[in-house]
Amino acid sequence: MFRNTFGLKKIIISLIIFLGCIGIYTISFSFSKDDNEDGIRVMESSELIYYLDVIYDGKDKYVVTSSDTAVSQIYSGYITVEDKIPEGLTFKDFVKTSDDSIGAIKRDSEASCPGSVVDDSDEEISDNIYNYHGLHYNKDTRTVSFTIKNLQAGCKLTIGIITQTPSLKDYNTNRMDFWNIASARENDLFKYSNTVHTYIGRTDLTRYSVKYQYVGDIPENAPTLDNSISYVGGASVGVSAEPNIPGYTFSGWKTEDVEVTNGKFTMPEKNVIFTGSFTQKESYKVRYTIEGDIPDGFIFPSDKEYYEGDLVSIDSLAYGDILKGYRFLGWHYDDKLIDDTVIITMPASDILITGEFELISYDVKYQFIGEIIPKNSSAILPTSKKYKPGDIVKLESIPEETICIQPETNEERRCSFLGWYKEDDFVMPSEDVMISGEWKILNEYFSPTVSKEIINNKEYYDKDEEVLFKTTITNNQDYPIYDVVLKEHLDGSEFTPKDEYTLMNKSFIKISIIEPHSS
């Protein structure tokens, strides 16, 4: 979108990219109602701002197509956008955001949307390139460029570019024309936009055309050329940007009608024709390997072929992903971790991308619970240890008796360890484990009467048939007893849940209270 501060006229440049089953996209400019076939007349020596609206579209796997009010579950790879500033305009800056982020919004609202400009601010950029958080301006080629990643279909990303129009007297002319054509590329797709035309100066002068033509074998996806461009004699004209068709080298625009110096020429009082041709490139492979252990179920990314200069994208695990007890440490190339901020540009050779996994280990920790805590608890509490999923964990042993502090009186008393509330030799899961144990003051600890009987008693049992026991605990004292802990020692047996007690694990239960002379 061009916005002239004089009169607030606008020219909207919308790069609309359609991606669908047929694998094509289009890019187009759209004009405001004040436009006419001869372009828009703007003021000299004034600020001119234009916006590139990148709108991504397509169909997801459920054949849902995005629209002005809906998004579909399909995302772009890398979209590279270039726009050569028309000859005569002076680049001043990019329209800056309050937080320096350059992200997408839904087309029908200001709600945020997946997709953003790849911010390479931390990377080393040559002195002739101005970089604002991934928005580049090359002073030598007068070209604005940026790369977008993961733009969701139905979303829009807008880039504002601030320019200054010249004074006609500085160029000793009565008219200057500015023709703007942008381009976008994603993988093997490339298109020009249509053309936006603005001018300053007189309207009654004769203009001559500048046309561009392909010669030789033309790729099927070569973009259509706009041959409506015209200038007055004596104008300084920049040669159009060259098409960047994946898999082909372009010869450059050549002409015998004028002499081109540093990408521009002086318009003669006649029409000018440029021609260019394509030569197919050699392709190179990207292969993948894993250093060290590979977890079961891991699928390597498919080997792919790219052309020199292509951007390599990886559809696979990301750094930190977990697979079958392994943590992925990411893909690396040229000693760099490949993430959203790193772009691999394909060289003129095959490349190997390397990944690595680490086997995850988890902590087994111990704690004492309850009111009775040993005086030297920090010394006798086992330290944390790491185990890998599937390891057999043997519980740590501690002294059976020690000195504890009586909570009510703060006196030191002999106490006995009741045990860990976790079965021994358990299989380590894929998570940290906390094991709790409890203590009792010795003179308050006694064994109630315990009886045990089989309630489905039979002469014999079949293999794997359940044997049901009933255990009865009787308090023969004249006062209630609290926090009675019962441990089952019989191999292969386990407690079943009931309301009368708390199930600590399959081998331990805790009864909160047994009244006097009750069971």
Side-chain angles (χ1 to χ4, degrees), residues 368-373 437-438:
F368 295 139
I369 61 174
E371 295 183 349
I372 309 300
I373 301 297
E438 195 167 6

Side-chain angles (χ1 to χ4, degrees), residues 493-504:
S493 64
E494 59 183 66
F495 286 109
T496 57
K498 288 184 72 70
D499 294 337
E500 287 87 343
Y501 52 78
T502 300
L503 187 65
M504 309 296 288

Side-chain angles (χ1 to χ4, degrees), residues 15-19 24-28 55 191-192:
L15 285 77
I16 304 175
I17 303 174
F18 294 95
L19 263 176
I24 64 170
Y25 64 76
T26 63
I27 308 170
S28 67
I55 301 174
K191 288 279 183 161
Y192 284 127

Side-chain angles (χ1 to χ4, degrees), residues 276-296:
S277 60
F278 296 92
T279 303
Q280 194 160 11
K281 291 181 180 179
E282 181 182 355
S283 62
Y284 302 94
K285 285 189 175 182
V286 174
R287 295 186 173 91
Y288 298 86
T289 188
I290 294 291
E291 288 186 350
D293 295 337
I294 302 175
D296 293 339

Side-chain angles (χ1 to χ4, degrees), residues 433-445:
V433 175
M434 177 66 77
I435 297 176
S436 302
E438 195 167 6
W439 295 80
K440 283 291 181 180
I441 299 296
L442 267 178
N443 61 1
E444 292 183 357
Y445 176 69

Side-chain angles (χ1 to χ4, degrees), residues 286-294 298 300-301 303 312 314 316-319 328-339 344 351-357:
V286 174
R287 295 186 173 91
Y288 298 86
T289 188
I290 294 291
E291 288 186 350
D293 295 337
I294 302 175
F298 173 71
F300 278 89
D303 292 349
V312 177
I314 301 175
S316 180
L317 295 178
Y319 180 88
F328 187 55
L329 301 181
W331 295 107
H332 291 77
Y333 173 70
D334 196 23
D335 295 330
K336 290 182 180 179
L337 174 66
I338 302 170
D339 57 21
I344 301 177
I351 65 173
L352 184 66
I353 295 177
T354 302
E356 187 177 2
F357 289 91

Side-chain angles (χ1 to χ4, degrees), residues 84 181 192 210 212 225 229 237-243 253 263 265 274:
K84 188 174 182 181
I181 306 174
Y192 284 127
V210 178
Y212 294 86
L225 301 171
I229 300 172
V237 180
V239 177
S240 177
E242 298 176 3
W253 293 118
F265 62 93
F274 282 87

